[in-house]
Amino acid sequence: MWTQLALAVALVVTIWSTPSTTIRYDGHEVLQILPQTIEDVHKLISLAKKYHLDIWKSPRYLNETFDVRVDPDQITDFVHDIESLGLKADHWITDVQKLIDEVTHTRNRRATFSIGAFNDHNSINSYLNSLASSNPRVTVHSMGQSYEGRDIRYVKISNNVGTNKKAIYADGGIHAREWLAVTTVLYFIDQIANNPTQDRTIEALLGKFDFYFAPVVNPDGYEYSRNHDRMWRKNRRPVVSGCYGVDINRNFAYHWNPDNGGSHNPCEEVHSGTHATSEVETKILQNFLCSHSNLIAYLNVHTYGQYWIYPWGYTPILPSDYRDLDHLGRTAATAIRHTHGKVFTVGEDTRVLYAAAGGADDYAKGACGVKYSYTVELRDTGVHGFVAPQSYIIPAGEETFAGFKAFATELIHYEHL
Ligand SMILES: [Zn+2]
């Protein structure tokens, strides 16, 4: 009996303490630096590249911080270099692993799906299937398979009345570690499909639009981020020996250019790929975006920084219809602010400071003609960054969905739909 018990305990201990391949971030800091000029921003980006650092956030406007993760061996040298530029580094997160552990500790680890939890890819797909089988408004479809063979699913939500409707599409999880983007798209799905509060606005929107939602468009990266490396961003294709993954949101075939906000180096977080559309996930998304000619709006959902921004990402030159995009973005941001007080900045992707070519939003607008194409960066602005706690899921869903409803409602009036 005791032997069996001891064996059982030993087994449990072994399972729990299996030297897993989980990557740890003990002592890693996230520094916030406030650049004074555009030149400062460029110098900071070069410096981060020199140290091969993980840039968490580049400022899009002056008076915003440059956030960067630094490993313990590099902190002294890096801070010295920052100071020699005449800048000051604030130690925002002093131990990334501690933050991950705190958030994980309070995490709901149930395998069953919940709108208020960070669910795994399998249970998300099962949820989409069960929704489709129980709700006549919902159909579930596959966009295709990821590099590792995971099914990239999306739902279509329609009241099935009328023809030739315009459509709105939103997706999440293109960057693996941005889990709150996944939960927020799932929140949208639940609200529109089930309309739990019998909101008449939702019924009105379904009278004018069909909706498409894909909660996890980079499932390999997402699962890797859940199981092995909380800070993973890219997909999981082996590129060169020892380095995996391409940043899908730098890989789209519209003015693709690794020298413009991306990287040629496969070991870096923003690797743009060896050529445009080198990744199967990019190809799948491009096909989806261009094959639905009724799409009028697209939200590519990310964390963090609280932005509602529009193309172009590859150039500071504004699109000719930027006033329309700006107006609709401001409508969304106002509704967001009125929900939980969060302030979202609206503007063009690049706006002088930060360019990134090869993004999904540029492709949707430039290559597929989806007029209202946005990148939405959810909360927060400097508390948890990428390591959003479970307690953010519902409020982030509520405020972003309020923005989404206001946006779609205004779109009906603005475009005379
Ligand atoms: Zn992102």
Side-chain angles (χ1 to χ4, degrees):
M1 159 78 184
W2 285 111
T3 319
Q4 279 169 348
L5 188 64
L7 267 175
V9 168
L11 190 65
V12 168
V13 169
T14 311
I15 290 167
W16 278 86
S17 62
T18 297
S20 68
T21 49
T22 302
I23 291 165
R24 296 185 58 86
Y25 291 93
D26 297 288
H28 285 234
E29 297 198 20
V30 182
L31 304 179
Q32 284 195 318
I33 302 133
L34 189 62
Q36 302 298 322
T37 62
I38 295 163
E39 290 70 41
D40 286 345
V41 178
H42 293 149
K43 284 177 193 164
L44 285 169
I45 290 170
S46 314
L47 205 54
K49 274 194 182 285
K50 175 183 147 192
Y51 285 89
H52 302 287
L53 301 181
D54 173 19
I55 297 173
W56 275 30
K57 184 167 78 69
S58 281
R60 295 176 191 269
Y61 302 86
L62 282 176
N63 292 320
E64 292 181 350
T65 58
F66 179 85
D67 304 348
V68 65
R69 176 172 59 80
V70 189
D71 78 37
D73 302 343
Q74 296 174 311
I75 288 170
T76 310
D77 290 346
F78 182 69
V79 168
H80 178 264
D81 281 2
I82 294 290
E83 285 169 354
S84 57
L85 292 176
L87 298 170
K88 189 175 160 294
D90 271 340
H91 298 256
W92 160 30
I93 296 171
T94 51
D95 190 333
V96 172
Q97 188 61 44
K98 209 169 142 222
L99 188 65
I100 293 171
D101 290 345
E102 280 167 15
V103 168
T104 311
H105 185 67
T106 59
R107 202 169 87 198
N108 179 354
R109 297 194 70 93
R110 288 179 308 173
T112 50
F113 180 88
S114 160
I115 285 290
F118 294 116
N119 305 282
D120 67 33
H121 183 243
N122 272 339
S123 51
I124 291 170
N125 274 357
S126 304
Y127 166 72
L128 300 181
N129 282 3
S130 67
L131 198 59
S133 62
S134 62
N135 187 324
R137 289 177 161 179
V138 183
T139 51
V140 63
H141 311 266
S142 171
M143 281 188 192
Q145 269 75 45
S146 66
Y147 176 79
E148 291 179 345
R150 292 186 177 85
D151 205 19
I152 301 175
R153 284 184 202 168
Y154 67 94
V155 288
K156 178 183 178 186
I157 309 177
S158 171
N159 70 359
N160 303 309
V161 179
T163 52
N164 299 322
K165 279 183 193 165
K166 295 291 183 193
I168 300 177
Y169 167 59
D171 59 29
I174 196 167
H175 287 145
R177 61 189 171 188
E178 300 171 5
W179 298 358
L180 205 60
V182 174
T183 62
T184 298
V185 173
L186 286 164
Y187 188 90
F188 284 20
I189 293 172
D190 176 52
Q191 290 292 312
I192 297 180
N194 298 323
N195 196 357
T197 59
Q198 298 188 321
D199 180 345
R200 285 160 70 177
T201 305
I202 292 174
E203 298 307 315
L205 292 177
L206 281 162
K208 295 289 182 182
F209 298 109
D210 287 340
F211 295 93
Y212 295 95
F213 297 110
V216 194
V217 294
N218 172 17
D220 300 349
Y222 180 65
E223 281 302 301
Y224 192 77
S225 159
R226 290 179 55 85
N227 298 313
H228 302 289
D229 182 354
R230 180 64 188 88
M231 289 299 119
W232 193 257
R233 170 182 171 99
K234 304 185 282 183
N235 72 356
R236 285 295 300 164
R237 186 173 68 83
V239 182
V240 293
S241 175
C243 289
Y244 287 74
V246 169
D247 184 342
I248 301 169
N249 206 37
R250 298 285 184 278
N251 191 236
F252 281 75
Y254 189 74
H255 293 272
W256 176 85
N257 179 4
D259 294 321
N260 190 356
S263 167
H264 293 275
N265 182 350
C267 305
E268 286 187 3
E269 292 296 331
V270 290
H271 177 45
S272 309
T274 48
H275 54 275
T277 331
S278 57
E279 305 312 297
V280 65
E281 295 85 358
T282 316
K283 194 174 167 190
I284 286 168
L285 276 166
Q286 288 184 175
N287 284 346
F288 180 85
L289 287 164
C290 280
S291 65
H292 291 77
S293 55
N294 60 337
L295 281 184
I296 188 169
Y298 170 43
L299 307 185
N300 186 231
V301 185
H302 294 251
T303 68
Y304 62 90
Q306 298 175 196
Y307 296 96
W308 195 291
I309 48 187
Y310 47 85
W312 305 110
Y314 80 92
T315 171
I317 296 167
L318 288 158
S320 58
D321 59 352
Y322 80 93
R323 283 189 186 84
D324 302 337
L325 281 91
D326 199 80
H327 171 72
L328 269 292
R330 285 180 198 286
T331 305
T334 301
I336 291 173
R337 196 176 70 243
H338 289 158
T339 308
H340 295 297
K342 295 286 183 229
V343 176
F344 276 52
T345 304
V346 180
E348 195 215 17
D349 243 346
T350 313
R351 218 58 182 173
V352 186
L353 285 190
Y354 173 80
D361 56 350
D362 277 12
Y363 185 86
K365 186 169 180 60
C368 311
V370 182
K371 178 179 167 100
Y372 294 96
S373 175
Y374 298 88
T375 291
V376 178
E377 299 273 4
L378 305 177
R379 55 165 74 188
D380 52 27
T381 54
V383 183
H384 286 90
F386 291 121
V387 195
Q390 190 173 335
S391 62
Y392 275 18
I393 295 175
I394 298 300
E398 287 168 346
E399 69 199 7
T400 319
F401 189 62
F404 182 77
K405 274 196 305 183
F407 167 82
T409 302
E410 179 62 9
L411 196 54
I412 294 170
H413 303 303
Y414 199 74
E415 288 284 328
H416 310 289
L417 300 177

